């Protein structure tokens, strides 16, 4: 087997502390024969803990140089798929039953990966991810905090979020420049159903475009100034507020108001 060379471009910061790997796997509360996806098994430190749980494990690893090593270590205990997790159609791999995801994610795929997870949220019963701490804090943020924003709303729209624990750089090889953290996502049973989700996310985006500005100012990017005035009478949200003070249900109220406004005025 040829000597393995780490690839920074693939976010290869391998975990070296078995206890952390165990702690991550414990957060998934796995049952025997449950379907689990691991993204980026690397050299298999998490994989090894997952195999111990006797789950039905599928690992997606982009780096073909790691495949022989993983095959040798785990043999038939794991289904190894040598692909880019962002480029495949997840539907082709999803079983009928719900799946749990457990992964120490490569930093550079965090956003597109999370986006894909939200699109298939109902297929997963739990998602346990190690990601950059700064991103984990934004995902788990409370209203009004400096970390609260579009990403918070987006992930919390689909999932109940728990911040697990922080992990320092010293337990990786090579060490990353930043701290990491483990987050736990559980699909919401009370996920809001909106007729025009695209519009909702557009309002959220516009609302946060300039965090320091009031809603009435930011919303001018979406609706003409006189219509913003009219909006005041169509929803109970004071437009002098800033987006970071609005809860999900208040954003929905704003969205309902804007939909009414658009209907009444035939706006695009
Ligand atoms: N799980 C191992 C651990 O904890 O030590 C490795 C984690 S390392 C942070 C990320 C792993 O994801 C690497 O093995 C890398 O090759 C793999 N990877 C990077 N981009 C990927 C992608 N788009 N699809 C699948 N695997 C990817």
């Amino acid at each position: 087997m040829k000597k393995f060379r780490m690839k920074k471009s693939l976010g290869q910061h391998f975990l070296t502390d078995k206890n952390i790997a165990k702690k991550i796997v414990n957060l998934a509360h796995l049952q025997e024969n449950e379907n689990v996806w691991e993204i980026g098994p690397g050299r298999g430190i998490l994989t090894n803990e997952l195999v111990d749980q006797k789950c039905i494990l599928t690992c997606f690893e982009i780096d073909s140089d790691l495949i022989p090593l993983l095959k040798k270590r785990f043999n038939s205990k794991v289904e190894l798929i040598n692909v880019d997790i962002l480029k495949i159609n997840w539907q082709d791999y999803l079983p009928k039953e719900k799946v749990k995801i457990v992964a120490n994610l490569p930093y550079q795929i965090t956003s597109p990966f999370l986006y894909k997870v939200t699109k298939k949220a109902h297929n997963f019963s739990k998602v346990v991810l190690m990601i950059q701490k700064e991103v984990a804090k934004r995902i788990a943020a409370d209203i009004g905090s400096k970390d609260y924003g579009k990403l918070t709303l987006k992930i919390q729209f689909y999932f109940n979020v728990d911040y697990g624990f922080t992990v320092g750089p010293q337990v990786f090889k090579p060490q990353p420049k930043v701290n990491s953290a483990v987050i736990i996502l559980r699909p919401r049973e009370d996920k809001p159903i909106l007729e025009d989700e695209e519009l909702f996310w557009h309002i959220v985006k516009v609302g946060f475009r300039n965090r320091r500005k009031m809603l009435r100012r930011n919303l001018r990017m979406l609706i003409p100034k006189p219509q913003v005035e009219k909006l005041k009478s169509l929803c109970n949200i004071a437009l002098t507020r800033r987006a970071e003070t609005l809860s999900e249900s208040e954003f929905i109220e704003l969205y309902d108001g804007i939909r009414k406004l658009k209907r009444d005025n035939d706006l695009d």
Side-chain angles (χ1 to χ4, degrees):
M1 217 181 289
K2 76 175 182 192
K3 193 171 180 315
F4 174 72
R5 277 180 193 280
M6 297 221 199
K7 300 174 189 74
K8 257 195 177 166
S9 61
L10 295 179
Q12 290 181 346
H13 295 281
F14 295 125
L15 186 63
T16 55
D17 186 331
K18 263 190 174 189
N19 291 325
I20 306 272
K22 276 191 206 306
K23 227 171 136 180
I24 295 172
V25 171
N26 284 342
L27 286 174
H29 294 289
L30 298 175
Q31 311 283 326
E32 212 172 308
N33 290 329
E34 230 179 342
N35 287 286
V36 178
W37 281 11
E38 188 192 359
I39 319 306
R43 290 208 278 221
I45 187 164
L46 268 180
T47 321
N48 197 44
E49 299 304 323
L50 291 167
V51 164
D52 278 354
Q53 303 291 314
K54 302 193 171 42
C55 52
I56 303 169
L57 182 57
T58 308
C59 295
F60 299 88
E61 174 55 64
I62 195 171
D63 187 354
S64 44
D65 290 347
L66 286 165
I67 300 298
L69 187 149
L70 289 163
K71 271 198 178 139
K72 191 168 171 222
R73 186 163 177 195
F74 300 109
N75 201 353
S76 58
K77 290 181 187 148
V78 171
E79 185 174 1
L80 273 173
I81 306 184
N82 183 201
V83 288
D84 179 339
I85 191 66
L86 300 179
K87 295 220 173 115
I88 55 169
N89 181 356
W90 289 14
Q91 203 54 50
D92 296 341
Y93 297 87
L94 283 163
K96 282 196 300 300
E97 304 81 23
K98 296 223 177 200
V99 172
K100 284 183 177 170
I101 298 182
V102 180
N104 170 15
L105 270 194
Y107 290 162
Q108 76 278 15
I109 74 164
T110 309
S111 299
F113 180 79
L114 285 170
Y115 180 75
K116 284 198 97 163
V117 171
T118 60
K119 292 282 158 215
K120 292 274 175 214
H122 56 282
N123 289 106
F124 301 108
S125 52
K126 201 179 243 191
V127 180
V128 180
L129 298 176
M130 179 138 73
I131 56 178
Q132 306 96 299
K133 182 181 180 186
E134 172 254 327
V135 180
K137 279 171 68 188
R138 278 163 51 207
I139 290 172
D142 291 324
I143 303 170
S145 69
K146 72 170 178 22
D147 292 316
Y148 183 74
K150 280 179 295 182
L151 185 65
T152 321
L153 279 153
K154 185 83 186 189
I155 305 299
Q156 294 189 12
F157 188 85
Y158 295 95
F159 296 101
N160 291 307
V161 176
D162 286 309
Y163 185 95
F165 59 95
T166 304
V167 183
Q170 69 284 355
V171 296
F172 297 93
K173 202 169 171 210
Q175 292 192 13
K177 289 198 173 74
V178 294
N179 279 316
S180 304
V182 179
I183 51 159
I184 305 109
L185 313 179
R186 282 169 295 110
R188 269 175 72 175
E189 275 166 23
D190 59 345
K191 176 191 151 315
I193 311 282
L194 304 179
E195 220 171 276
D196 190 350
E197 250 190 51
E198 207 180 314
L199 173 66
F200 177 75
W201 293 117
H202 193 49
I203 294 167
V204 171
K205 187 171 162 197
V206 165
F208 278 103
R209 178 121 349 135
N210 194 330
R211 284 184 80 93
R212 302 311 311 150
K213 294 219 164 104
M214 293 175 194
L215 282 172
R216 69 169 177 221
R217 187 63 197 263
N218 280 338
L219 286 175
R220 272 200 238 154
M221 286 178 230
L222 186 71
I223 36 185
K225 196 174 169 188
Q227 302 296 330
V228 175
E229 291 306 307
K230 215 171 157 197
L231 181 60
K232 283 185 193 162
S233 60
L234 291 173
C235 65
N236 277 329
I237 307 297
L239 300 181
T240 46
R241 289 173 63 183
R242 295 195 174 96
E244 67 200 29
T245 70
L246 260 63
S247 65
E248 175 189 272
S249 55
E250 288 175 318
F251 263 113
I252 292 176
E253 226 175 289
L254 189 63
Y255 151 89
D256 285 335
I258 292 175
R259 275 182 40 107
K260 267 189 228 145
L261 187 75
K262 282 179 175 283
R263 239 179 275 132
D264 296 352
N265 296 281
D266 224 10
L267 293 173
D268 285 334

